C-alpha cells in the first residue's frame, strides 16, 4: 500500500463555468469549502447575536469575545483611526480561523493549505494599504519608504531596502500560513498511514500502531493550536501593515 500525503490537497473540478483562451474557470472543491466557511461564519454570528441578551449565552459570549479581541488588536496596532479597518481584519481573522479548524476534520479540504488562497488574502491586505495610503495621504504616503534623519548618501540604499521589505510582506504573509497548514496536514497523513499499515499486520501490528496513534493525537492537538495561532498572526500582521496606510513615515 502506498501513501500519497499530497492527494488531500488535490483540486477537483465540479462544474466548468467558462473556457477562454486556454484559461479555465471552474467551480471546484476549494470553492465549495470557501463558500461553506463563509456560510458557517455568517450563520454562527447571526445566531449568536440574534438576541443580544444582557447575560450572554455561550454563542453570544464567543461572538462578543471575538469582536473585542480583534477590536483591541486593531486599536493597539493602528490606534483608534485603525478601527475603520476593523471589518476587514475581523473578516480575515474569522475566515482563516474557521478554514484552518475545518481543515482538521477528516475528509474535509484545507483551503489555507493552498498558496493561491493565502496569496490572494495577502494581496488584498497589501492592496488595501497601498490604495488607502495614496487616497488619504497622496504622495506623502511614499514617506513610508524614506526613513527620517538619514544622511543623504545612505538614503538611496535605505529606500531600496524599505521598498524590498514592503514588497516582501505579501510573500511572507501568504507563505507563513500556507506552509504551516501544508506541513501539519502532511505529517498527520503520514502518521495515519503508519497506524493503518501496522494495524493491518495483526495483533503485533496493533501494539506497533500505538505509538503512531499517540503521535496523531498529539499532532492533532498541536495542529489545532497552530490553526488558531496562524489566524491570530495573520490578523496581527494585517493590523500592523494597515497602520502604515494610516501613519506613513518613520
Amino acid at each position: 500500500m502506498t501513501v500519497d500525503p499530497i492527494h488531500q490537497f488535490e483540486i477537483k473540478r465540479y462544474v466548468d463555468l467558462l473556457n477562454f483562451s486556454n484559461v479555465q474557470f471552474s467551480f471546484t472543491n476549494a470553492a465549495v469549502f470557501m463558500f461553506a466557511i463563509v456560510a458557517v461564519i455568517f450563520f454562527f454570528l447571526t445566531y449568536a447575536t440574534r438576541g443580544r441578551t444582557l447575560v450572554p449565552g455561550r454563542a453570544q459570549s464567543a461572538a462578543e469575545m471575538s469582536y473585542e479581541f480583534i477590536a483591541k488588536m486593531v486599536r493597539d496596532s493602528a490606534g483608534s483611526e485603525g478601527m475603520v479597518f476593523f471589518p476587514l481584519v475581523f473578516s480575515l481573522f474569522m475566515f482563516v480561523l474557521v478554514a484552518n479548524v475545518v481543515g482538521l476534520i477528516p475528509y474535509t479540504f484545507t483551503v489555507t493549505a493552498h498558496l493561491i488562497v493565502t496569496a490572494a488574502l495577502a494581496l488584498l491586505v497589501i492592496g488595501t494599504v497601498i490604495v488607502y495610503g495614496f487616497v488619504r495621504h497622496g504622495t506623502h504616503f511614499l514617506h513610508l519608504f524614506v526613513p527620517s534623519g538619514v544622511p543623504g548618501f545612505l538614503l538611496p540604499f535605505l529606500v531600496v531596502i524599505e521598498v524590498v521589505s514592503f514588497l516582501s510582506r505579501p510573500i511572507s504573509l501568504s507563505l507563513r500560513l500556507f506552509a504551516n497548514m501544508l506541513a501539519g496536514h502532511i505529517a498527520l497523513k503520514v502518521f495515519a498511514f503508519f497506524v493503518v499499515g501496522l494495524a493491518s499486520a495483526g495483533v503485533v501490528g496493533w501494539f506497533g500502531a500505538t505509538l503512531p496513534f499517540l503521535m496523531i493525537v498529539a499532532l492533532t492537538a498541536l495542529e489545532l493550536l497552530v490553526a488558531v495561532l496562524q489566524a491570530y498572526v495573520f490578523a496581527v500582521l494585517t493590523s500592523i501593515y494597515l497602520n502604515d496606510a494610516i501613519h506613513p513615515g518613520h
Side-chain angles (χ1 to χ4, degrees):
M1 182 172 59
T2 60
V3 58
D4 182 10
I6 304 299
H7 181 73
Q8 59 184 311
F9 308 112
E10 180 183 356
I11 299 290
K12 299 177 182 178
R13 296 199 305 268
Y14 291 154
V15 180
D16 291 330
L17 302 177
L18 178 65
N19 290 316
F20 178 75
S21 185
N22 295 325
V23 177
Q24 189 174 59
F25 295 89
S26 303
F27 195 73
T28 65
N29 52 343
V32 169
F33 273 91
M34 283 189 280
F35 274 106
I37 289 164
V38 172
V40 167
I41 297 170
F42 173 79
F43 286 114
F44 168 73
L45 293 177
T46 302
Y47 170 79
T49 58
R50 73 193 189 287
R52 285 178 286 184
T53 58
L54 186 61
V55 180
R58 293 180 181 179
Q60 184 178 335
S61 295
E64 291 178 354
M65 288 174 61
S66 300
Y67 178 95
E68 291 298 332
F69 178 72
I70 300 301
K72 184 178 184 301
M73 177 194 301
V74 173
R75 293 191 192 98
D76 291 344
S77 301
S80 298
E81 294 177 274
M83 286 301 290
V84 68
F85 293 116
F86 171 80
L88 173 63
V89 180
F90 184 78
S91 298
L92 288 173
F93 172 77
M94 293 299 293
F95 179 84
V96 174
L97 176 63
V98 175
N100 291 350
V101 173
V102 166
L104 292 173
I105 302 173
Y107 303 106
T108 59
F109 187 82
T110 312
V111 296
T112 47
H114 282 265
L115 186 58
I116 187 64
V117 175
T118 59
L121 298 178
L123 289 174
L124 171 64
V125 173
I126 299 303
T128 301
V129 171
I130 294 173
V131 171
Y132 185 86
F134 277 112
V135 168
R136 176 168 177 171
H137 303 285
T139 55
H140 180 73
F141 176 68
L142 295 175
H143 286 197
L144 178 65
F145 309 111
V146 184
S148 58
V150 177
F153 70 95
L154 286 178
L155 194 58
F157 301 101
L158 290 178
V159 168
V160 171
I161 292 174
E162 291 291 337
V163 170
V164 171
S165 175
F166 182 84
L167 294 178
S168 68
R169 288 178 176 181
I171 298 175
S172 63
L173 192 62
S174 58
L175 283 178
R176 181 183 295 104
L177 177 58
F178 153 75
N180 276 279
M181 293 298 102
L182 182 73
H185 283 69
I186 288 177
L188 284 173
K189 184 77 171 184
V190 170
F191 278 102
F193 169 75
F194 287 156
V195 171
V196 174
L198 290 171
S200 63
V203 177
V204 176
W206 297 347
F207 290 101
T210 302
L211 181 58
F213 178 77
L214 294 176
M215 287 297 298
I216 289 178
V217 175
L219 279 174
T220 301
L222 178 62
E223 277 300 293
L224 181 60
L225 176 62
V226 170
V228 176
L229 284 178
Q230 285 304 310
Y232 169 73
V233 170
F234 198 95
V236 167
L237 292 178
T238 296
S239 300
I240 293 173
Y241 296 159
L242 290 170
N243 179 57
D244 289 337
I246 302 170
H247 308 107
H250 295 263

